[in-house]
Amino acid sequence: MSLSEDTDPSEQRAAARPAASNAQLSRVTFNRLELHRIFNLYGRMVADGEWRDYAIDFLRDRAVFSVFRRASEVPIYRIEKDPRLARKQGMYSVISATGLILRRGHELERVLLVIDRKLAVV
């Protein structure tokens, strides 16, 4: 869309706003219960000194919760929700820093056990 001298820039922004809100609706997100379970685990690991930072990304095809030991590093774990895999292997997965899928499943609780058990055994 080109800008002409006759149009008001605020009108163009207002016209573009509904398209932007539709883009927000098409993103995959974690629901409240999922975030509660993830943050419970995160809080315990922060208290143990294992984790220090996190990032949440809501993308068009998946939601990602990344866990960092330090803010400047790559994430040590990524907890992903991909609804396209709900009828296949399961929409939840835990992925290591190297990209290895540690566990995938239909229930978030069971998928997160791979992190709980791994750090609790040491």
Side-chain angles (χ1 to χ4, degrees):
M1 181 186 295
S2 66
L3 241 121
S4 69
E5 293 176 281
D6 299 336
T7 61
D8 182 16
S10 62
E11 289 175 9
Q12 290 177 346
R13 283 194 303 262
R17 205 169 286 138
S21 65
N22 288 341
Q24 292 287 353
L25 294 176
S26 68
R27 293 177 186 233
V28 177
T29 61
F30 291 108
N31 65 34
R32 181 181 290 223
L33 294 174
E34 293 164 342
L35 283 174
H36 179 71
R37 176 62 180 109
I38 292 170
F39 277 119
N40 276 344
L41 173 63
Y42 177 77
R44 280 186 285 137
M45 294 303 153
V46 168
D48 290 343
E50 296 289 333
W51 298 351
R52 300 246 163 96
D53 201 6
Y54 72 92
I56 301 177
D57 296 307
F58 299 128
L59 307 173
R60 188 173 307 166
D61 59 339
R62 68 187 187 277
V64 182
F65 187 95
S66 302
V67 177
F68 298 87
R69 192 169 312 241
R70 288 177 190 78
S72 62
E73 294 180 349
V74 297
I76 54 175
Y77 293 110
R78 290 189 334 253
I79 301 164
E80 292 193 3
K81 175 182 178 182
D82 190 345
R84 295 174 300 170
L85 301 174
R87 294 188 167 202
K88 296 177 182 174
Q89 303 103 337
M91 74 171 127
Y92 301 106
S93 59
V94 174
I95 302 169
S96 71
T98 60
L100 179 69
I101 297 174
L102 301 175
R103 181 171 283 178
R104 180 176 281 154
H106 297 282
E107 299 173 16
L108 181 61
E109 288 281 335
R110 294 180 58 86
V111 171
L112 291 179
L113 285 176
V114 73
I115 299 173
D116 270 342
R117 287 185 183 150
K118 191 172 192 174
L119 294 176
V121 171
V122 173

